[in-house]
Amino acid sequence: MPLGELHGKHLVTIEGLNMDHLSPVQQAIVDEGATQCGFCTPGIVVSLTGYLMKDKIIINEEGVKKTLSGHLCRCTGYRSLKQSAFFLKDTVEGHTGIDTLVANRMIPDYFPGIPDRLRKMQSSVFGAGEKSTDYFIAGGTDLYVQKGDLLPESKVHLLNLHPEMKAISKKNGYIHVGALTTFEEFANHPDIANAIPDIQAYMSRIASLQIRNRATLGGNIINASPIGDMTTLLLALEAVLVLENDAQSRTVPITSFFRGYKQLDKIPSEILADILIPEFPLNTKINFEKVSKRKYLDIASVNSAMKIRREDGIIREIGLSMGGVAPVPLFLKATSHYFIGKQVCRDVVEGAFSIIQQEICPISDIRGSVDYKRLLARQLIIAHFTKLFPERVAVRDFYETY
Amino acid sequence: MKHIDAVSHTRGESQFVDDMPQPSEMLYAAVFSSPVMHGKIIALHVQDVCSMDGIVAVLTSKDIPGENQIGPIIQDEELLASAEVCYVGQPVALVIGTSPEIARKGVRKITIDVEQLPAITDPKEAFSKGNIIGSPRTFILGDVEATWQKCDLVLEGVCDIGGQEHVYLETQRARAIPLEENNLCIYSATQGPSAVQRHAAKVLGLPGHNIEVDVKRLGGGFGGKEDQATPWACMAALAAWHTKKPVELVLGRADDIKMTGKRHPYKSDFKIGVTKEGKILAYEANHYQNSGATADLSPAVLERTLFHGTNSYFIPNVKIFGVCCRTNLPSNTAFRGFGGPQGMFVIESAIAKVAEKLDIPREEIQTKNLLKENDLFPYGQQVGNCRSLLTWNKAVEKYKLSEIRKRVEDYNKTHFEIKKGMAVMPICFGISFTTTYMNQASALVLVYTDGSISVSTGGVEMGQGLKSNIASIAAKGFGIRDIRIKIESTNTTRVANMSPSAASATTVLNGNATLIAIGQVLDRLKSMVAEELGVQDKGRITIVNEKVLCDGRETDWTWDRLVQTAHLNRIDLSAHGFFATPEIYFDKIKEKGHPFAYHIFGTAIIEVTLDCLRGTYDIDSVKIVHDLGRPLSELVDRGQIEGGLAQGLGWMTIEDLSFNEKGQLLSGALATYKVPDVYFMPDDIELTFLEDEGNTLGPYGNKAVGEPPLMYGIGVFFAIRCAMRAFRPQREFALASPLTPERVLLQLYAD
């Protein structure tokens, strides 16, 4: 995270959570034996405390895992950590939120005063950085991994200091998503939940809560990783990108935005401002698939998304995308086209196998071999159709002889 | 008792090497390493670096005042490569700067000319070319050759076993402080303080007593800091010696993964002969260990592969061959289990092959061949206090194995692309360093006049709970409250000639040494108080809850009064204790002996669900019966079992070390090398301990617990394989680990 983004904020580290007595989070970890070497412990204490700072949290398994998901512990095997979070249920359930935690001496009493103190410390306006810049940084969640050594010595422009690029709204048949909308903000927005009913399930497979709180949709697109998860989803949804250059703006379909490996239809001074997701008719179905070495908190070997709409059993509209199988996040134009006007049945889906193999050109890398990625391409097409149309096709239909 | 450091850990107040306040004028070192797998160094270009602002020195092998040699078993490892480089990541030069960033920047400016030489990464290729380390070893029991023809079924197979990166969350680090007259103090994150002392002295050409090594705690070790913390500590010391300034060297994660060794990959062949009932009559295995570029601890690791080559089974005719093969990879090293897991994986694979051929569940073969009391291991030791069947039967009954099996089979009948799989994994792990002389430890116990106590041992706290165990032992030993006890850092000036904290033996060795020291102090105190009370036999005196009892009845003597009076009477309140494990020996010529003080047993049942469309899997449950002895702290020991299990599960499944043809590690970051996370580990982990199965050697009946549970994780490989076979019953699957989703899917759809 760039230091500049801390401007006007209050950073809480483990030292800021320590009181004379142990907090319930600290006490639970001690009691459950959930700290061994101790190296990862402070971060976990901060995350779990953050979990309790939201008002009226119901402590459940999903929430606990989500909170712990960005933490690696090599000592405990996580059972005791999960247990210590559940243990909090008895201590703090129904008593979460900053004011309640302070009242119950569960966090230090300086917390409620933070906004006031920040206001009093108002300093001169802090610029986002030069417009002529080496790097525009949004969440920076991949940039700092890839270029961590270079960024501190480069000119950077911190986009997150433009809060106006965060809004989500419906207009003219599109859902307008500000490019700086984080993954979590996106998934939690009612319009998105309405349009993509399983978005939370897809999201849980992408990075960790901590990263999703930073990573932005715009950053995911501009970073142009061939395996970007949100990019793959937005490709299938055939989103439209709004690029701004000073007062000028133009739109470009995301399906034609990626020109080559990390090559974009964009000049350096242009900034991706908005992502427009077309509102789809009610009977549109969407599915997102991701296969990675570790099921959670990992980068995909291959991911894929499909948006499909049938009328009277005939496919009228379809958008298929796939990541990890080409130098760019790939919109499967030929494969999508093939399906138009056809019914959903085994033979039709099988007919796509050879088309998709022509359309993709994966390479062997740390995420998988060529053979594996080509096999996954086939498997994920089967997955899309069997998941969305279980009454029409089953996996068994494709592997009858097994 | 809880983990003694738990409170300071949760407050972020526990100090690791670089958390200690920085001395003024401290400098920082960074390492330049070989970019190629193998070659002759023609020229090293450091001129541009030396002229950079903030760069204080660039050191190479020429700047080593003593010997450029840090090999622990065989003298084949230079601290800084002088003429030849043998793997990508081999340290060549050390850049010292005024900040870590400047030092790292300096490293990036160094270039090297290397005349490349042919490189080898495959152990069998190395073996065929004669690139081996030490001599091959062979353990023999009975006569396999004469037995094959008596078997109803003889099968052969090949295993390809992957390595494993330690991923201790605290990367390698050390801080060296120059003191007066060529003395140095090194704060090192090492499991082996004496190894650091010995090698730093050698490198600097100084006597050992000039080097003080201090270790407060490690942020995880897992074997990765048993021997391989040494180079970084020696480099920090070298830099401090040259600059006369404190120098800190902290490896970033990328450098750590690139430059340090891992668990050894193996290629192994096996041949197994059974009766038609599934009784194993003969077993032969050839283990080709991928040792990496130098010997490091590889010969000792190999030995344990041979020791555990038959796991929990009695096989009357055995021939196990093993050899350390020198390759152009970073030198592989100790990792929890220390060669044992690889040996066990191969016998479990052989059993799987037999079961698959006979078309019966694997556990039917396993159960027919489990060790019984007094059975002979191939290395000549008879199994004593055997808990193999006991843990197996308890797991079978408590967790209802037959119901699990039926549930899995029923599920698979009614589901097409989702399959369940299960496997049982028994373990038998020998406790002791197999190098007999290392089974020794010392402790220094100091009682202060206020009744508080300081204990120093040769054991290193790395999260395993050693300090808690020693404190608990000391409190029990004295009969006083544990808040009286402070466990000191591990320091070579208080305890000399330590064995590394390894082999699951740290508590038993150092705990016993502590008890011996305590015994000496207590003996003096009891003699004094017996005289004061006019009692002839000091054996009638005991201390319970800080009160002095005579014949079990309270006296008016308390711990405080006892200590103060002893001091006034000029009685020594300090003692040094020394412990050596009795009755162990091993004859490396005959390859027979009694190398282990005892064995740890246990049985795990693992269930998985496999998505055969996508090749991904979930581990549903792990249910364990473990031979724990009488734990000093059940909380601490549970943590060891669960943590070991997690590493074993990761090793078998998603922890994938992938090198390209240039010998560069592709999975060289935590973004590409995946360890278990909170979702990966099953929610359903059940542990059952054998009750009251004490251990005469361990302090208060305690048993070793560090390494054995890792090997439960091996079962997950066979559980996934079981599910794969449910989907494709007729197919042959490879015995290659890790069984990544890629390997699963490619094998399910190989046609």
Side-chain angles (χ1 to χ4, degrees):
Chain A
M1 179 172 184
L3 190 61
E5 273 198 45
L6 288 179
H7 180 71
K9 298 192 174 72
H10 181 106
L11 177 71
V12 178
T13 63
I14 184 67
E15 287 77 11
L17 295 177
N18 284 339
M19 298 171 285
D20 291 342
H21 59 285
L22 291 183
S23 77
V25 171
Q26 291 169 326
Q27 189 66 52
I29 287 174
V30 170
D31 290 347
E32 293 295 331
T35 176
Q36 290 186 26
C37 83
F39 208 79
C40 71
T41 310
I44 287 172
V45 171
V46 173
S47 273
L48 284 174
T49 307
Y51 180 44
L52 302 181
M53 281 184 177
K54 288 205 190 103
D55 286 330
K56 294 189 182 135
I57 283 283
I58 306 293
I59 296 172
N60 57 25
E61 191 184 310
E62 200 196 327
V64 166
K65 285 188 184 169
K66 209 170 165 180
T67 305
L68 293 173
S69 69
H71 296 273
L72 291 179
C73 166
R74 194 59 157 164
C75 293
T76 61
Y78 303 98
R79 193 207 54 86
S80 52
L81 280 167
K82 286 184 264 186
Q83 199 54 44
S84 53
F86 293 135
F87 174 86
L88 290 170
K89 216 173 151 65
D90 302 332
T91 341
V92 296
E93 182 113 306
H95 301 285
T96 62
I98 290 177
D99 292 340
T100 319
L101 291 178
V102 169
N104 290 306
R105 300 179 65 231
M106 292 174 174
I107 54 174
D109 56 13
Y110 70 81
F111 271 88
I114 290 173
D116 258 357
R117 288 193 1 243
L118 284 175
R119 263 192 297 278
K120 280 180 196 150
M121 285 163 61
Q122 269 187 9
S123 59
S124 58
V125 178
F126 187 86
E130 300 282 327
K131 204 66 193 273
S132 67
T133 184
D134 300 329
Y135 297 99
F136 287 103
I137 296 182
T141 52
D142 194 50
L143 213 50
Y144 276 95
V145 175
Q146 306 302 334
K147 313 219 184 258
D149 277 341
L150 295 176
L151 285 175
E153 294 174 8
S154 307
K155 272 200 247 172
V156 299
H157 183 98
L158 304 179
L159 294 170
N160 270 336
L161 303 177
H162 297 278
E164 70 278 8
M165 284 167 67
K166 271 184 172 295
I168 297 180
S169 62
K170 276 190 182 178
K171 253 187 303 203
N172 310 327
Y174 288 98
I175 305 173
H176 290 240
V177 181
L180 290 177
T181 305
T182 66
F183 286 22
E184 277 294 305
E185 287 162 346
F186 180 73
N188 292 330
H189 196 278
D191 288 345
I192 300 302
N194 203 29
I196 313 168
D198 285 336
I199 186 68
Q200 290 291 347
Y202 309 153
M203 205 51 89
S204 73
R205 299 283 316 283
I206 300 171
S208 64
L209 176 66
Q210 293 85 346
I211 296 295
R212 293 194 299 269
N213 277 332
R214 290 282 310 160
T216 66
L217 259 61
N220 198 254
I221 294 168
I222 299 297
N223 190 41
S225 159
I227 197 69
D229 288 314
M230 289 313 293
T231 304
T232 295
L233 180 62
L234 293 167
L235 272 168
L237 302 181
E238 298 177 74
V240 174
L241 308 178
V242 180
L243 297 169
E244 283 182 358
N245 196 0
D246 288 329
Q248 311 255 323
S249 90
R250 67 180 178 109
T251 60
V252 50
I254 189 170
T255 50
S256 62
F257 187 59
F258 302 102
R259 295 287 182 78
Y261 181 67
K262 301 250 174 186
Q263 300 292 308
L264 304 174
D265 177 7
K266 171 182 148 349
I267 56 169
S269 57
E270 280 182 316
I271 288 178
L272 172 62
D274 246 334
I275 300 151
L276 312 185
I277 300 172
E279 289 196 64
F280 4 91
L282 269 181
N283 53 350
T284 306
K285 295 184 178 205
I286 294 166
N287 188 44
F288 174 75
E289 292 282 335
K290 172 174 179 174
V291 172
S292 50
K293 193 173 284 171
R294 185 171 60 200
K295 205 163 191 175
Y296 293 86
L297 194 65
D298 197 359
I299 293 161
S301 296
V302 174
N303 57 17
S304 178
M306 182 168 90
K307 177 196 70 175
I308 185 167
R309 184 174 59 81
R310 293 184 309 158
E311 278 169 24
D312 304 325
I314 305 295
I315 300 170
R316 291 298 174 201
E317 198 186 328
I318 182 167
L320 256 171
S321 63
M322 201 165 271
V325 292
V328 296
L330 197 63
F331 182 72
L332 296 166
K333 204 169 166 184
T335 314
S336 300
H337 181 74
Y338 157 83
F339 280 107
I340 297 285
K342 296 195 171 64
Q343 293 195 326
V344 173
C345 66
R346 186 196 69 175
D347 290 349
V348 164
V349 176
E350 271 184 353
F353 292 169
S354 59
I355 303 171
I356 196 170
Q357 294 302 336
Q358 302 233 333
E359 222 175 347
I360 64 175
C361 51
I363 53 165
S364 289
D365 60 17
I366 186 61
R367 308 290 169 203
S369 62
V370 168
D371 289 348
Y372 178 51
K373 291 176 184 175
R374 286 196 174 274
L375 175 56
L376 274 178
R378 180 182 85 193
Q379 299 301 91
L380 295 188
I381 294 298
I382 298 174
H384 284 312
F385 282 95
T386 54
K387 207 158 131 190
L388 293 182
F389 304 100
E391 74 290 353
R392 301 286 306 161
V393 278
V395 175
R396 186 192 296 270
D397 302 340
F398 297 89
Y399 299 108
E400 279 170 336
T401 57
Y402 283 24
Chain B
M1 180 169 179
K2 286 167 189 160
H3 201 295
I4 206 167
D5 286 338
V7 168
S8 68
H9 284 350
T10 61
R11 295 173 64 87
E13 291 168 349
S14 298
Q15 289 189 347
F16 296 86
V17 169
D18 55 338
D19 291 329
M20 292 184 296
Q22 294 178 358
S24 63
E25 299 190 298
M26 187 152 81
L27 301 173
Y28 299 85
V31 182
F32 173 80
S33 68
S34 170
V36 300
M37 290 177 89
H38 193 198
K40 280 190 185 140
I41 300 175
I42 306 296
L44 186 69
H45 305 288
V46 300
Q47 304 85 326
D48 290 355
V49 186
C50 296
S51 58
M52 280 169 64
D53 273 355
I55 294 295
V56 176
V58 180
L59 304 175
T60 66
S61 61
K62 295 190 188 84
D63 300 302
I64 292 174
E67 262 185 83
N68 183 16
Q69 184 50 247
I70 55 165
I73 298 177
I74 297 169
Q75 306 291 292
D76 67 347
E77 189 178 348
E78 289 183 330
L79 179 66
L80 295 169
S82 58
E84 189 183 351
V85 284
C86 298
Y87 60 93
V88 174
Q90 182 175 358
V92 178
L94 194 60
V95 177
I96 325 297
T98 50
S99 76
E101 293 76 23
I102 287 168
R104 281 202 294 272
K105 207 169 163 182
V107 164
R108 287 199 293 272
K109 286 232 167 110
I110 296 181
T111 57
I112 189 171
D113 300 334
V114 181
E115 181 192 328
Q116 294 213 33
L117 296 168
I120 299 174
T121 55
D122 183 82
K124 281 188 176 171
E125 186 192 343
F127 178 71
S128 69
K129 291 183 173 160
N131 281 335
I132 65 168
I133 297 166
S135 306
R137 306 277 297 268
T138 307
F139 286 9
I140 292 173
L141 181 67
D143 184 348
V144 287
E145 291 309 327
T147 312
W148 299 124
Q149 57 198 16
K150 295 176 194 158
C151 301
D152 296 320
L153 175 67
V154 176
L155 291 173
E156 294 182 47
V158 183
C159 294
D160 184 351
I161 309 170
Q164 185 176 27
E165 162 60 36
H166 300 84
V167 193
Y168 26 64
L169 286 199
E170 174 205 41
T171 51
Q172 302 277 2
R173 59 197 63 194
R175 183 188 287 182
I177 314 279
L179 305 170
E180 60 184 16
E181 292 181 3
N182 263 338
N183 286 283
L184 277 143
C185 177
I186 306 173
Y187 297 95
S188 165
T190 178
Q191 292 173 244
S194 286
V196 168
Q197 179 193 30
R198 202 159 45 239
H199 289 108
K202 191 172 177 180
V203 163
L204 297 178
L206 297 169
H209 65 209
N210 280 40
I211 308 287
E212 173 184 354
V213 178
D214 189 273
V215 185
K216 192 178 284 295
R217 64 170 59 79
L218 313 187
F222 315 117
K225 296 170 183 170
E226 176 172 350
D227 186 59
Q228 297 206 355
T230 299
W232 325 109
C234 289
M235 286 177 210
L238 178 69
W241 188 86
H242 273 282
T243 60
K244 307 288 177 218
K245 297 273 192 318
V247 177
E248 188 168 276
L249 172 54
V250 176
L251 291 188
R253 180 65 64 188
D255 278 350
D256 190 296
I257 297 187
K258 179 170 78 173
M259 295 177 187
T260 65
K262 295 146 200 350
R263 185 189 298 287
H264 294 76
Y266 275 61
K267 287 205 170 165
S268 304
D269 309 326
F270 63 81
K271 185 173 177 183
I272 185 166
V274 296
T275 65
K276 54 181 176 295
E277 291 79 28
K279 186 87 189 154
I280 306 170
L281 297 182
Y283 174 66
E284 186 176 346
N286 297 306
H287 298 288
Y288 302 90
Q289 180 198 61
N290 192 334
S291 310
T294 67
D296 191 90
L297 301 168
S298 295
V301 171
L302 180 79
E303 191 174 45
R304 204 175 261 277
T305 303
L306 269 58
F307 281 123
H308 296 313
T310 53
N311 190 13
S312 284
Y313 309 106
F314 172 67
I315 305 174
N317 302 284
V318 177
K319 185 178 173 195
I320 305 178
F321 164 90
V323 59
C324 298
C325 307
R326 197 187 293 274
T327 61
N328 296 105
L329 294 176
S331 191
N332 289 313
T333 191
F335 194 148
R336 207 172 194 169
F338 205 74
Q342 293 94 327
M344 290 187 194
F345 179 80
V346 179
I347 180 70
E348 294 297 330
S349 295
I351 288 171
K353 270 224 130 160
V354 169
E356 289 164 12
K357 185 79 181 175
L358 296 176
D359 200 24
I360 55 173
R362 223 170 63 93
E363 60 265 23
E364 285 188 28
I365 311 284
Q366 292 173 307
T367 184
K368 286 196 177 90
N369 294 283
L370 290 170
L371 283 163
K372 296 183 187 69
E373 191 74 10
N374 296 326
D375 275 345
L376 208 56
F377 287 108
Y379 46 90
Q381 182 168 346
Q382 278 190 317
V383 58
N385 206 9
C386 181
R387 299 283 170 252
S388 191
L389 266 170
L390 193 66
T391 59
W392 179 281
N393 290 337
K394 196 157 182 168
V396 166
E397 286 158 30
K398 177 160 174 107
Y399 302 130
K400 302 190 171 65
L401 178 66
S402 55
E403 285 179 25
I404 294 175
R405 172 58 69 183
K406 185 166 184 315
R407 199 169 66 229
V408 166
E409 284 171 1
D410 288 351
Y411 183 94
N412 289 344
K413 274 180 206 149
T414 53
H415 293 76
F416 181 75
E417 71 269 24
I418 307 290
K419 296 293 186 194
K420 299 258 182 204
M422 58 151 298
V424 189
M425 182 66 204
I427 59 158
C428 166
F429 195 81
I431 301 305
S432 290
F433 285 99
T434 58
T435 304
T436 304
Y437 86 85
M438 292 171 79
N439 294 285
Q440 54 175 312
S442 307
L444 181 66
V445 173
L446 311 176
V447 180
Y448 297 100
T449 50
D450 65 352
S452 68
I453 289 158
S454 147
V455 180
S456 298
T457 73
V460 170
E461 172 64 45
M462 46 188 159
Q464 86 280 45
L466 177 78
K467 283 170 70 177
S468 314
N469 286 345
I470 299 290
S472 172
I473 288 166
K476 279 186 190 182
F478 275 118
I480 58 175
R481 290 172 298 155
D482 52 28
I483 55 160
R484 298 265 197 186
I485 314 289
K486 180 188 170 204
I487 307 301
E488 303 288 350
S489 65
T490 314
N491 188 299
T492 51
T493 66
R494 276 177 263 120
V495 174
N497 313 320
M498 307 165 200
S499 289
S501 286
S504 310
T506 315
T507 294
V508 64
L509 294 173
N510 293 283
N512 277 320
T514 303
L515 278 180
I516 287 166
I518 288 170
Q520 294 169 32
V521 177
L522 274 182
D523 191 62
R524 295 173 208 143
L525 293 174
K526 285 178 184 175
S527 298
M528 178 196 77
V529 82
E531 204 179 309
E532 297 271 354
L533 290 170
V535 177
Q536 287 287 320
D537 177 11
K538 65 186 172 194
R540 292 162 61 191
I541 308 289
T542 51
I543 303 172
V544 177
N545 294 333
E546 310 214 334
K547 293 195 175 77
V548 178
L549 310 184
C550 183
D551 299 329
R553 282 190 298 275
E554 265 189 42
T555 65
D556 53 3
W557 286 77
T558 61
W559 174 251
D560 287 322
R561 182 178 169 200
L562 196 59
V563 170
Q564 283 151 18
T565 312
H567 185 62
L568 295 176
N569 287 338
R570 297 189 295 170
I571 288 168
D572 184 2
L573 285 170
S574 305
H576 171 264
F578 177 80
F579 176 76
T581 312
E583 288 167 17
I584 51 171
Y585 66 96
F586 194 71
D587 181 338
K588 286 194 182 181
I589 308 290
K590 295 182 185 148
E591 300 285 25
K592 297 284 178 191
H594 190 101
F596 298 117
Y598 60 96
H599 290 81
I600 293 290
F601 300 88
T603 300
I605 302 174
I606 299 184
E607 288 179 78
V608 302
T609 302
L610 176 65
D611 177 340
C612 300
L613 178 64
R614 298 171 183 83
T616 54
Y617 41 75
D618 292 302
I619 304 168
D620 299 327
S621 69
V622 181
K623 301 182 165 92
I624 294 172
V625 174
H626 187 81
D627 171 29
L628 189 62
R630 294 192 197 102
L632 291 158
S633 162
E634 194 174 307
L635 201 63
V636 167
D637 285 0
R638 283 187 80 98
Q640 284 295 292
I641 294 170
E642 291 165 0
L645 171 70
Q647 283 179 338
L649 294 172
W651 174 52
M652 283 282 105
T653 54
I654 55 172
E655 295 193 31
D656 191 10
L657 290 165
S658 173
F659 292 89
N660 65 13
E661 70 285 354
K662 290 178 183 160
Q664 293 159 331
L665 184 59
L666 297 174
S667 47
L670 296 186
T672 43
Y673 185 81
K674 294 293 165 182
V675 297
D677 68 342
V678 68
Y679 289 102
F680 174 88
M681 288 301 290
D683 291 328
D684 187 2
I685 297 177
E686 280 188 63
L687 299 184
T688 303
F689 302 126
L690 286 193
E691 276 161 28
D692 204 31
E693 297 291 341
N695 164 27
T696 48
L697 187 71
Y700 301 103
N702 162 270
K703 281 188 178 178
V705 71
E707 290 166 290
L710 182 131
M711 282 150 275
Y712 292 132
I714 294 170
V716 76
F717 181 94
F718 298 99
I720 296 170
R721 188 179 170 90
C722 166
M724 289 167 73
R725 285 179 51 80
F727 188 64
R728 301 299 308 268
Q730 305 306 323
R731 295 203 67 85
E732 283 268 322
F733 296 121
L735 293 158
S737 78
L739 193 44
T740 56
E742 174 169 2
R743 276 212 168 101
V744 170
L745 199 71
L746 286 174
Q747 292 190 80
L748 287 179
Y749 299 93
D751 45 352

